[in-house]
Amino acid sequence: MLFASDSIVTESASKQIEEQLRRAIQEGRLRADEQLPTEAELAERFGVSRPTIREALKRLAAQNLIRSKRGPAGGNFVNRPSLEEAGMNLVTPALLLTSSGEFDAAAICEARSLIESNLLAFTVQRRTDDDLTELQAALDELSDPATANGAFCAAEVRFHRAMVRAAGNKIIEYFSYTLLEGLQPIGNLISYKLQDRQQLVALHGALLDALRARDLAAAQQAFANYAQYRHTLYDAAVSQYQERGAEGAEPA
């Protein structure tokens, strides 16, 4: 066991134990897939009861930091989070910041354009046949007239997430969850009544064709066209919203 335990006071003992174990996990002193000591061993180490230890472990499990395994080789183990699980933890704070007015549609558009356009050179160079298959599957769903509005938005998110993944940089992929899983759907929701599905399908089709051909110039132009169209939709949606607000504020 590679972590030292601090003394525990009676009040909020389970919380203090949870924090100590969480720090040990975050700092790498407890490694992924490593088994924690038993409840009895932890209780002795911290000088508390087993129910207190059990409560601390429940807190850690709720944060997906540990998992329980039953059987002769069972116990509590440090989780090895996937990139998707870790990235999705960024989504809720981003949504809260958006709902509080910190992020608006223009900022979302700008951030997406900066990240995705600058990744295109890597995406064109590094994309694989599997990436193309994933992009084509998302495009097929976008192209299907029977696709509902929510599913259409989700397919567009999958298309752009696949583009980012194809660039082969896991750090950028991790941070992109904030934009693609959290903020892109908000922007799409704002403007979905104004969007032309056929035009969006054509824009994504041109982008996929360029990636398939490994044509960077064509990919950059296709993405610029897509980004400009999204900007136009967001601007129009915001203008409509402001006009309705102004009308509602007029005296009777």
Side-chain angles (χ1 to χ4, degrees):
M1 179 62 65
L2 299 178
F3 71 96
S5 55
D6 299 331
S7 59
I8 297 297
V9 298
T10 303
E11 185 178 4
S12 301
S14 64
K15 177 65 174 175
Q16 294 176 69
I17 295 167
E18 173 231 328
E19 289 175 350
Q20 287 194 40
L21 293 173
R22 176 164 47 79
R23 285 200 305 270
I25 292 170
Q26 291 172 338
E27 294 168 4
R29 289 176 283 127
L30 283 171
R31 298 180 179 275
D33 299 322
E34 182 176 346
Q35 184 173 6
L36 273 65
T38 65
E39 289 182 4
E41 290 169 338
L42 287 171
E44 182 178 357
R45 176 184 293 268
F46 287 108
V48 297
S49 66
R50 289 182 63 177
T52 299
I53 293 297
R54 199 169 296 125
E55 178 62 28
L57 295 177
K58 285 181 180 178
R59 292 173 183 265
L60 293 170
Q63 300 169 60
N64 291 322
L65 291 175
I66 65 171
R67 66 185 185 277
S68 296
K69 181 180 178 182
R70 296 183 178 181
N76 293 296
F77 296 82
V78 178
N79 260 344
R80 181 182 295 276
S82 69
L83 188 64
E84 181 173 1
E85 289 172 338
M88 290 302 289
N89 287 332
L90 301 174
V91 171
T92 298
L95 292 174
L96 291 173
L97 287 167
T98 303
S99 65
S100 68
E102 288 293 326
F103 303 150
D104 59 18
I108 294 170
C109 265
E110 185 177 89
R112 285 193 58 208
S113 294
L114 285 170
I115 291 174
E116 292 188 63
S117 62
N118 282 290
L119 281 179
L120 279 173
F122 299 103
T123 303
V124 166
Q125 178 185 359
R126 297 172 179 172
R127 65 93 180 133
T128 65
D129 289 343
D130 287 342
D131 294 323
L132 294 179
T133 298
E134 187 174 359
L135 288 162
Q136 184 64 59
L139 181 60
D140 289 344
E141 187 163 3
L142 290 172
S143 304
D144 186 349
T147 300
N149 287 327
F152 187 92
C153 176
E156 188 175 355
V157 169
R158 285 200 306 278
F159 186 99
H160 289 272
R161 190 173 65 186
M163 274 184 51
V164 171
R165 186 183 301 114
N169 187 306
K170 291 188 178 295
I171 295 176
I172 294 178
E173 182 183 348
Y174 167 66
F175 285 109
S176 73
Y177 275 89
T178 300
L179 279 171
L180 299 180
E181 296 290 345
L183 303 184
Q184 180 181 344
I186 292 176
N188 291 358
L189 182 63
I190 292 171
S191 60
Y192 84 93
K193 290 184 178 179
L194 302 176
Q195 68 189 19
D196 182 331
R197 280 195 177 194
Q198 290 184 345
Q199 187 164 354
L200 279 169
V201 169
L203 290 167
H204 285 90
L207 191 48
L208 178 53
D209 287 344
L211 294 176
R212 185 176 282 113
R214 296 193 190 275
D215 187 334
L216 178 57
Q220 290 171 329
Q221 184 59 60
F223 183 79
N225 292 341
Y226 165 78
Q228 181 58 47
Y229 181 64
R230 272 290 173 208
H231 271 288
T232 301
L233 289 177
Y234 294 156
D235 288 345
V238 170
S239 294
Q240 282 192 3
Y241 177 80
Q242 291 173 340
E243 288 172 4
R244 292 194 192 101
E247 291 172 0
E250 291 179 359

PDB file of all heavy atoms in Angstrom, residues 73-104:
ATOM      1  N   ALA A  73     -11.867 -14.041  -5.274  1.00  0.00           N
ATOM      2  CA  ALA A  73     -10.851 -13.049  -5.648  1.00  0.00           C
ATOM      3  C   ALA A  73     -11.437 -11.641  -5.647  1.00  0.00           C
ATOM      4  O   ALA A  73     -10.924 -10.743  -6.307  1.00  0.00           O
ATOM      5  CB  ALA A  73     -10.284 -13.373  -7.027  1.00  0.00           C
ATOM      6  N   GLY A  74     -12.536 -11.465  -4.887  1.00  0.00           N
ATOM      7  CA  GLY A  74     -13.233 -10.190  -4.897  1.00  0.00           C
ATOM      8  C   GLY A  74     -12.597  -9.151  -3.998  1.00  0.00           C
ATOM      9  O   GLY A  74     -11.562  -9.370  -3.377  1.00  0.00           O
ATOM     10  N   GLY A  75     -13.264  -8.006  -3.948  1.00  0.00           N
ATOM     11  CA  GLY A  75     -12.782  -6.887  -3.153  1.00  0.00           C
ATOM     12  C   GLY A  75     -13.094  -5.585  -3.856  1.00  0.00           C
ATOM     13  O   GLY A  75     -13.903  -5.535  -4.790  1.00  0.00           O
ATOM     14  N   ASN A  76     -12.452  -4.527  -3.423  1.00  0.00           N
ATOM     15  CA  ASN A  76     -12.608  -3.214  -4.045  1.00  0.00           C
ATOM     16  C   ASN A  76     -11.346  -2.872  -4.821  1.00  0.00           C
ATOM     17  O   ASN A  76     -10.230  -2.993  -4.295  1.00  0.00           O
ATOM     18  CB  ASN A  76     -12.874  -2.153  -2.974  1.00  0.00           C
ATOM     19  CG  ASN A  76     -14.214  -2.352  -2.296  1.00  0.00           C
ATOM     20  OD1 ASN A  76     -15.263  -2.249  -2.923  1.00  0.00           O
ATOM     21  ND2 ASN A  76     -14.184  -2.647  -0.997  1.00  0.00           N
ATOM     22  N   PHE A  77     -11.537  -2.436  -6.068  1.00  0.00           N
ATOM     23  CA  PHE A  77     -10.414  -2.170  -6.965  1.00  0.00           C
ATOM     24  C   PHE A  77     -10.515  -0.754  -7.519  1.00  0.00           C
ATOM     25  O   PHE A  77     -11.612  -0.229  -7.733  1.00  0.00           O
ATOM     26  CB  PHE A  77     -10.408  -3.162  -8.132  1.00  0.00           C
ATOM     27  CG  PHE A  77     -10.204  -4.590  -7.717  1.00  0.00           C
ATOM     28  CD1 PHE A  77     -11.270  -5.347  -7.257  1.00  0.00           C
ATOM     29  CD2 PHE A  77      -8.946  -5.172  -7.775  1.00  0.00           C
ATOM     30  CE1 PHE A  77     -11.096  -6.668  -6.868  1.00  0.00           C
ATOM     31  CE2 PHE A  77      -8.761  -6.493  -7.388  1.00  0.00           C
ATOM     32  CZ  PHE A  77      -9.837  -7.243  -6.926  1.00  0.00           C
ATOM     33  N   VAL A  78      -9.361  -0.153  -7.771  1.00  0.00           N
ATOM     34  CA  VAL A  78      -9.323   1.171  -8.389  1.00  0.00           C
ATOM     35  C   VAL A  78      -9.751   1.033  -9.848  1.00  0.00           C
ATOM     36  O   VAL A  78      -9.249   0.171 -10.573  1.00  0.00           O
ATOM     37  CB  VAL A  78      -7.912   1.782  -8.308  1.00  0.00           C
ATOM     38  CG1 VAL A  78      -7.876   3.148  -9.002  1.00  0.00           C
ATOM     39  CG2 VAL A  78      -7.471   1.909  -6.854  1.00  0.00           C
ATOM     40  N   ASN A  79     -10.681   1.870 -10.261  1.00  0.00           N
ATOM     41  CA  ASN A  79     -11.176   1.821 -11.631  1.00  0.00           C
ATOM     42  C   ASN A  79     -10.136   2.332 -12.623  1.00  0.00           C
ATOM     43  O   ASN A  79      -9.329   3.210 -12.309  1.00  0.00           O
ATOM     44  CB  ASN A  79     -12.438   2.672 -11.774  1.00  0.00           C
ATOM     45  CG  ASN A  79     -13.697   1.835 -11.752  1.00  0.00           C
ATOM     46  OD1 ASN A  79     -13.643   0.619 -11.920  1.00  0.00           O
ATOM     47  ND2 ASN A  79     -14.831   2.473 -11.539  1.00  0.00           N
ATOM     48  N   ARG A  80     -10.200   1.774 -13.824  1.00  0.00           N
ATOM     49  CA  ARG A  80      -9.419   2.288 -14.949  1.00  0.00           C
ATOM     50  C   ARG A  80     -10.417   2.971 -15.884  1.00  0.00           C
ATOM     51  O   ARG A  80     -11.060   2.316 -16.707  1.00  0.00           O
ATOM     52  CB  ARG A  80      -8.694   1.156 -15.670  1.00  0.00           C
ATOM     53  CG  ARG A  80      -7.837   1.616 -16.854  1.00  0.00           C
ATOM     54  CD  ARG A  80      -7.200   0.432 -17.555  1.00  0.00           C
ATOM     55  NE  ARG A  80      -6.249  -0.243 -16.701  1.00  0.00           N
ATOM     56  CZ  ARG A  80      -4.982   0.142 -16.553  1.00  0.00           C
ATOM     57  NH1 ARG A  80      -4.533   1.191 -17.211  1.00  0.00           N
ATOM     58  NH2 ARG A  80      -4.179  -0.531 -15.753  1.00  0.00           N
ATOM     59  N   PRO A  81     -10.604   4.283 -15.762  1.00  0.00           N
ATOM     60  CA  PRO A  81     -11.653   4.947 -16.545  1.00  0.00           C
ATOM     61  C   PRO A  81     -11.316   4.968 -18.028  1.00  0.00           C
ATOM     62  O   PRO A  81     -10.151   5.071 -18.417  1.00  0.00           O
ATOM     63  CB  PRO A  81     -11.674   6.366 -15.970  1.00  0.00           C
ATOM     64  CG  PRO A  81     -10.289   6.573 -15.455  1.00  0.00           C
ATOM     65  CD  PRO A  81      -9.842   5.235 -14.946  1.00  0.00           C
ATOM     66  N   SER A  82     -12.349   4.866 -18.843  1.00  0.00           N
ATOM     67  CA  SER A  82     -12.151   5.016 -20.282  1.00  0.00           C
ATOM     68  C   SER A  82     -12.065   6.501 -20.611  1.00  0.00           C
ATOM     69  O   SER A  82     -12.464   7.363 -19.821  1.00  0.00           O
ATOM     70  CB  SER A  82     -13.319   4.387 -21.046  1.00  0.00           C
ATOM     71  OG  SER A  82     -14.501   5.142 -20.838  1.00  0.00           O
ATOM     72  N   LEU A  83     -11.545   6.790 -21.794  1.00  0.00           N
ATOM     73  CA  LEU A  83     -11.449   8.178 -22.237  1.00  0.00           C
ATOM     74  C   LEU A  83     -12.835   8.808 -22.308  1.00  0.00           C
ATOM     75  O   LEU A  83     -13.032   9.966 -21.927  1.00  0.00           O
ATOM     76  CB  LEU A  83     -10.766   8.235 -23.607  1.00  0.00           C
ATOM     77  CG  LEU A  83     -10.411   9.622 -24.139  1.00  0.00           C
ATOM     78  CD1 LEU A  83      -9.381  10.289 -23.239  1.00  0.00           C
ATOM     79  CD2 LEU A  83      -9.872   9.517 -25.560  1.00  0.00           C
ATOM     80  N   GLU A  84     -13.811   8.024 -22.760  1.00  0.00           N
ATOM     81  CA  GLU A  84     -15.176   8.547 -22.875  1.00  0.00           C
ATOM     82  C   GLU A  84     -15.759   8.861 -21.502  1.00  0.00           C
ATOM     83  O   GLU A  84     -16.374   9.912 -21.306  1.00  0.00           O
ATOM     84  CB  GLU A  84     -16.067   7.548 -23.602  1.00  0.00           C
ATOM     85  CG  GLU A  84     -17.496   8.040 -23.783  1.00  0.00           C
ATOM     86  CD  GLU A  84     -18.328   7.114 -24.645  1.00  0.00           C
ATOM     87  OE1 GLU A  84     -17.803   6.076 -25.089  1.00  0.00           O
ATOM     88  OE2 GLU A  84     -19.505   7.435 -24.878  1.00  0.00           O
ATOM     89  N   GLU A  85     -15.571   7.954 -20.540  1.00  0.00           N
ATOM     90  CA  GLU A  85     -16.090   8.195 -19.195  1.00  0.00           C
ATOM     91  C   GLU A  85     -15.475   9.448 -18.589  1.00  0.00           C
ATOM     92  O   GLU A  85     -16.167  10.274 -17.991  1.00  0.00           O
ATOM     93  CB  GLU A  85     -15.800   6.992 -18.294  1.00  0.00           C
ATOM     94  CG  GLU A  85     -16.620   5.762 -18.612  1.00  0.00           C
ATOM     95  CD  GLU A  85     -16.169   4.552 -17.819  1.00  0.00           C
ATOM     96  OE1 GLU A  85     -15.013   4.531 -17.349  1.00  0.00           O
ATOM     97  OE2 GLU A  85     -16.976   3.619 -17.677  1.00  0.00           O
ATOM     98  N   ALA A  86     -14.161   9.592 -18.753  1.00  0.00           N
ATOM     99  CA  ALA A  86     -13.485  10.769 -18.207  1.00  0.00           C
ATOM    100  C   ALA A  86     -13.953  12.036 -18.911  1.00  0.00           C
ATOM    101  O   ALA A  86     -14.199  13.068 -18.278  1.00  0.00           O
ATOM    102  CB  ALA A  86     -11.974  10.613 -18.346  1.00  0.00           C
ATOM    103  N   GLY A  87     -14.092  11.961 -20.239  1.00  0.00           N
ATOM    104  CA  GLY A  87     -14.523  13.130 -20.987  1.00  0.00           C
ATOM    105  C   GLY A  87     -15.933  13.564 -20.649  1.00  0.00           C
ATOM    106  O   GLY A  87     -16.226  14.762 -20.573  1.00  0.00           O
ATOM    107  N   MET A  88     -16.813  12.584 -20.410  1.00  0.00           N
ATOM    108  CA  MET A  88     -18.195  12.922 -20.102  1.00  0.00           C
ATOM    109  C   MET A  88     -18.321  13.644 -18.763  1.00  0.00           C
ATOM    110  O   MET A  88     -19.305  14.346 -18.523  1.00  0.00           O
ATOM    111  CB  MET A  88     -19.056  11.657 -20.107  1.00  0.00           C
ATOM    112  CG  MET A  88     -19.264  11.060 -21.499  1.00  0.00           C
ATOM    113  SD  MET A  88     -20.039  12.195 -22.675  1.00  0.00           S
ATOM    114  CE  MET A  88     -21.705  12.260 -22.018  1.00  0.00           C
ATOM    115  N   ASN A  89     -17.323  13.485 -17.889  1.00  0.00           N
ATOM    116  CA  ASN A  89     -17.345  14.215 -16.619  1.00  0.00           C
ATOM    117  C   ASN A  89     -17.209  15.718 -16.825  1.00  0.00           C
ATOM    118  O   ASN A  89     -17.507  16.504 -15.918  1.00  0.00           O
ATOM    119  CB  ASN A  89     -16.216  13.722 -15.702  1.00  0.00           C
ATOM    120  CG  ASN A  89     -16.491  12.352 -15.128  1.00  0.00           C
ATOM    121  OD1 ASN A  89     -17.639  11.962 -14.961  1.00  0.00           O
ATOM    122  ND2 ASN A  89     -15.441  11.607 -14.834  1.00  0.00           N
ATOM    123  N   LEU A  90     -16.740  16.125 -18.008  1.00  0.00           N
ATOM    124  CA  LEU A  90     -16.602  17.550 -18.307  1.00  0.00           C
ATOM    125  C   LEU A  90     -17.911  18.164 -18.797  1.00  0.00           C
ATOM    126  O   LEU A  90     -18.042  19.389 -18.831  1.00  0.00           O
ATOM    127  CB  LEU A  90     -15.531  17.754 -19.389  1.00  0.00           C
ATOM    128  CG  LEU A  90     -14.120  17.254 -19.087  1.00  0.00           C
ATOM    129  CD1 LEU A  90     -13.244  17.416 -20.320  1.00  0.00           C
ATOM    130  CD2 LEU A  90     -13.528  18.009 -17.911  1.00  0.00           C
ATOM    131  N   VAL A  91     -18.852  17.319 -19.181  1.00  0.00           N
ATOM    132  CA  VAL A  91     -20.054  17.815 -19.849  1.00  0.00           C
ATOM    133  C   VAL A  91     -20.961  18.588 -18.899  1.00  0.00           C
ATOM    134  O   VAL A  91     -21.433  19.683 -19.218  1.00  0.00           O
ATOM    135  CB  VAL A  91     -20.818  16.647 -20.508  1.00  0.00           C
ATOM    136  CG1 VAL A  91     -22.175  17.112 -21.019  1.00  0.00           C
ATOM    137  CG2 VAL A  91     -19.993  16.073 -21.655  1.00  0.00           C
ATOM    138  N   THR A  92     -21.223  18.033 -17.710  1.00  0.00           N
ATOM    139  CA  THR A  92     -22.158  18.684 -16.787  1.00  0.00           C
ATOM    140  C   THR A  92     -21.708  20.087 -16.387  1.00  0.00           C
ATOM    141  O   THR A  92     -22.509  21.032 -16.442  1.00  0.00           O
ATOM    142  CB  THR A  92     -22.376  17.814 -15.538  1.00  0.00           C
ATOM    143  OG1 THR A  92     -22.968  16.572 -15.940  1.00  0.00           O
ATOM    144  CG2 THR A  92     -23.303  18.507 -14.549  1.00  0.00           C
ATOM    145  N   PRO A  93     -20.433  20.297 -16.000  1.00  0.00           N
ATOM    146  CA  PRO A  93     -20.017  21.674 -15.696  1.00  0.00           C
ATOM    147  C   PRO A  93     -20.185  22.615 -16.887  1.00  0.00           C
ATOM    148  O   PRO A  93     -20.562  23.779 -16.714  1.00  0.00           O
ATOM    149  CB  PRO A  93     -18.535  21.520 -15.319  1.00  0.00           C
ATOM    150  CG  PRO A  93     -18.402  20.112 -14.859  1.00  0.00           C
ATOM    151  CD  PRO A  93     -19.353  19.329 -15.704  1.00  0.00           C
ATOM    152  N   ALA A  94     -19.923  22.117 -18.102  1.00  0.00           N
ATOM    153  CA  ALA A  94     -20.085  22.958 -19.287  1.00  0.00           C
ATOM    154  C   ALA A  94     -21.544  23.347 -19.487  1.00  0.00           C
ATOM    155  O   ALA A  94     -21.859  24.494 -19.842  1.00  0.00           O
ATOM    156  CB  ALA A  94     -19.563  22.227 -20.523  1.00  0.00           C
ATOM    157  N   LEU A  95     -22.446  22.404 -19.246  1.00  0.00           N
ATOM    158  CA  LEU A  95     -23.872  22.703 -19.376  1.00  0.00           C
ATOM    159  C   LEU A  95     -24.313  23.729 -18.340  1.00  0.00           C
ATOM    160  O   LEU A  95     -25.108  24.631 -18.637  1.00  0.00           O
ATOM    161  CB  LEU A  95     -24.686  21.420 -19.225  1.00  0.00           C
ATOM    162  CG  LEU A  95     -24.546  20.391 -20.352  1.00  0.00           C
ATOM    163  CD1 LEU A  95     -25.285  19.111 -19.997  1.00  0.00           C
ATOM    164  CD2 LEU A  95     -25.062  20.957 -21.666  1.00  0.00           C
ATOM    165  N   LEU A  96     -23.797  23.602 -17.122  1.00  0.00           N
ATOM    166  CA  LEU A  96     -24.151  24.554 -16.071  1.00  0.00           C
ATOM    167  C   LEU A  96     -23.644  25.954 -16.409  1.00  0.00           C
ATOM    168  O   LEU A  96     -24.342  26.949 -16.195  1.00  0.00           O
ATOM    169  CB  LEU A  96     -23.571  24.092 -14.731  1.00  0.00           C
ATOM    170  CG  LEU A  96     -24.203  22.831 -14.132  1.00  0.00           C
ATOM    171  CD1 LEU A  96     -23.429  22.379 -12.897  1.00  0.00           C
ATOM    172  CD2 LEU A  96     -25.661  23.082 -13.770  1.00  0.00           C
ATOM    173  N   LEU A  97     -22.432  26.034 -16.949  1.00  0.00           N
ATOM    174  CA  LEU A  97     -21.884  27.335 -17.333  1.00  0.00           C
ATOM    175  C   LEU A  97     -22.690  27.950 -18.475  1.00  0.00           C
ATOM    176  O   LEU A  97     -22.894  29.164 -18.523  1.00  0.00           O
ATOM    177  CB  LEU A  97     -20.418  27.186 -17.742  1.00  0.00           C
ATOM    178  CG  LEU A  97     -19.439  26.942 -16.591  1.00  0.00           C
ATOM    179  CD1 LEU A  97     -18.081  26.502 -17.127  1.00  0.00           C
ATOM    180  CD2 LEU A  97     -19.284  28.201 -15.747  1.00  0.00           C
ATOM    181  N   THR A  98     -23.160  27.107 -19.384  1.00  0.00           N
ATOM    182  CA  THR A  98     -23.975  27.612 -20.492  1.00  0.00           C
ATOM    183  C   THR A  98     -25.319  28.118 -19.992  1.00  0.00           C
ATOM    184  O   THR A  98     -25.779  29.198 -20.379  1.00  0.00           O
ATOM    185  CB  THR A  98     -24.188  26.507 -21.544  1.00  0.00           C
ATOM    186  OG1 THR A  98     -22.916  26.039 -21.996  1.00  0.00           O
ATOM    187  CG2 THR A  98     -24.976  27.042 -22.732  1.00  0.00           C
ATOM    188  N   SER A  99     -25.952  27.349 -19.110  1.00  0.00           N
ATOM    189  CA  SER A  99     -27.264  27.755 -18.595  1.00  0.00           C
ATOM    190  C   SER A  99     -27.178  29.019 -17.753  1.00  0.00           C
ATOM    191  O   SER A  99     -28.149  29.762 -17.631  1.00  0.00           O
ATOM    192  CB  SER A  99     -27.889  26.623 -17.774  1.00  0.00           C
ATOM    193  OG  SER A  99     -27.118  26.361 -16.614  1.00  0.00           O
ATOM    194  N   SER A 100     -25.993  29.287 -17.173  1.00  0.00           N
ATOM    195  CA  SER A 100     -25.825  30.498 -16.365  1.00  0.00           C
ATOM    196  C   SER A 100     -25.406  31.699 -17.208  1.00  0.00           C
ATOM    197  O   SER A 100     -25.220  32.794 -16.678  1.00  0.00           O
ATOM    198  CB  SER A 100     -24.787  30.257 -15.264  1.00  0.00           C
ATOM    199  OG  SER A 100     -23.491  30.083 -15.820  1.00  0.00           O
ATOM    200  N   GLY A 101     -25.235  31.482 -18.525  1.00  0.00           N
ATOM    201  CA  GLY A 101     -24.919  32.588 -19.419  1.00  0.00           C
ATOM    202  C   GLY A 101     -23.445  32.817 -19.676  1.00  0.00           C
ATOM    203  O   GLY A 101     -23.075  33.778 -20.357  1.00  0.00           O
ATOM    204  N   GLU A 102     -22.575  31.936 -19.161  1.00  0.00           N
ATOM    205  CA  GLU A 102     -21.139  32.111 -19.383  1.00  0.00           C
ATOM    206  C   GLU A 102     -20.749  31.830 -20.833  1.00  0.00           C
ATOM    207  O   GLU A 102     -19.846  32.453 -21.375  1.00  0.00           O
ATOM    208  CB  GLU A 102     -20.349  31.188 -18.452  1.00  0.00           C
ATOM    209  CG  GLU A 102     -20.360  31.598 -16.999  1.00  0.00           C
ATOM    210  CD  GLU A 102     -19.620  32.902 -16.752  1.00  0.00           C
ATOM    211  OE1 GLU A 102     -18.621  33.166 -17.448  1.00  0.00           O
ATOM    212  OE2 GLU A 102     -20.055  33.664 -15.872  1.00  0.00           O
ATOM    213  N   PHE A 103     -21.417  30.858 -21.463  1.00  0.00           N
ATOM    214  CA  PHE A 103     -21.139  30.507 -22.857  1.00  0.00           C
ATOM    215  C   PHE A 103     -22.378  30.819 -23.684  1.00  0.00           C
ATOM    216  O   PHE A 103     -23.499  30.514 -23.270  1.00  0.00           O
ATOM    217  CB  PHE A 103     -20.827  29.011 -23.007  1.00  0.00           C
ATOM    218  CG  PHE A 103     -19.679  28.517 -22.170  1.00  0.00           C
ATOM    219  CD1 PHE A 103     -19.660  27.207 -21.718  1.00  0.00           C
ATOM    220  CD2 PHE A 103     -18.626  29.345 -21.833  1.00  0.00           C
ATOM    221  CE1 PHE A 103     -18.606  26.732 -20.949  1.00  0.00           C
ATOM    222  CE2 PHE A 103     -17.574  28.889 -21.063  1.00  0.00           C
ATOM    223  CZ  PHE A 103     -17.563  27.577 -20.618  1.00  0.00           C
ATOM    224  N   ASP A 104     -22.184  31.404 -24.860  1.00  0.00           N
ATOM    225  CA  ASP A 104     -23.311  31.605 -25.762  1.00  0.00           C
ATOM    226  C   ASP A 104     -23.043  30.879 -27.076  1.00  0.00           C
ATOM    227  O   ASP A 104     -21.978  30.286 -27.281  1.00  0.00           O
ATOM    228  CB  ASP A 104     -23.581  33.093 -26.003  1.00  0.00           C
ATOM    229  CG  ASP A 104     -22.384  33.832 -26.596  1.00  0.00           C
ATOM    230  OD1 ASP A 104     -21.473  33.162 -27.142  1.00  0.00           O
ATOM    231  OD2 ASP A 104     -22.357  35.072 -26.522  1.00  0.00           O
TER     232      ASP A 104
END
